[in-house]
Amino acid sequence: LKYYHEAGQEKPENSGSWIKLITTAIQIDNNDVAEKALSDFMIYWPQHPNNWKFKGILFAKKGNWAAAVTSYQKGVECSPQDPSLRNQLAEAQLINGDPEKALEHAIISINNDDSRPDSFKILSRILASLKRYDESLHALCTAKDKREQINQYAYGNINVNLRYITKQLLVAESLII
């Protein structure tokens, strides 16, 4: 964390260091560092859409779902095509007791990018809360199918890489012998 904080201080125009610092702090539940870094980040990058996402995450971690919803809504205003922000907004709205609004954002998220299993999982939870169980089950099955497609794609890439590495090793071995 110290490295990313120093990098952000030395080159405040480099948003990557700030984002990595805040993300890492959130992941390890060091919310004080995340809040301080976010505060500094917002000085240098006041219009960055991640500001609102990070604020929403920090509010959600504190259980302040109304404030999380407000932060995610501002993030969506800055970056309306971002499915991750839409999913976070939908989830916060569901937890905050507004499943109808959550459903709107979940559908927009899927319309923007229908390849994300997490979008369908959130949609499934929202539909279940609305007692639309058949649709919920269908969304959950779609999430499972999307996850399997991603895993198959990753597995295929691993196999391609292994074949390439094996060929390179055989070539290197033939040069040595």
Side-chain angles (χ1 to χ4, degrees), residues 54-72:
F54 291 139
K55 283 185 98 141
I57 291 169
L58 291 168
F59 283 128
K61 283 178 160 267
K62 293 177 182 177
N64 188 344
W65 293 101
V69 166
T70 301
S71 291
Y72 292 138

Side-chain angles (χ1 to χ4, degrees), residues 49-124:
N50 279 347
N51 291 344
W52 303 112
K53 178 172 80 172
F54 291 139
K55 283 185 98 141
I57 291 169
L58 291 168
F59 283 128
K61 283 178 160 267
K62 293 177 182 177
N64 188 344
W65 293 101
V69 166
T70 301
S71 291
Y72 292 138
Q73 284 172 330
K74 289 179 181 177
V76 165
E77 289 170 13
C78 293
S79 187
Q81 301 301 317
D82 184 339
S84 175
L85 268 169
R86 289 265 181 200
N87 287 341
Q88 289 170 307
L89 174 56
E91 187 167 23
Q93 287 173 319
L94 176 63
I95 294 168
N96 199 43
D98 194 352
E100 294 293 338
K101 274 287 196 195
L103 181 60
E104 289 177 31
H105 287 286
I107 290 170
I108 292 170
S109 174
I110 289 169
N111 287 339
N112 287 343
D113 180 359
D114 69 352
S115 68
R116 299 173 57 102
D118 56 323
S119 298
F120 288 94
K121 283 175 54 179
I122 291 168
L123 176 62
S124 175

Side-chain angles (χ1 to χ4, degrees), residues 122-138:
I122 291 168
L123 176 62
S124 175
R125 289 182 42 220
I126 295 166
L127 291 168
S129 77
L130 294 168
K131 297 181 178 21
R132 293 166 59 177
Y133 300 116
D134 288 343
E135 294 170 273
S136 174
L137 181 59
H138 178 72

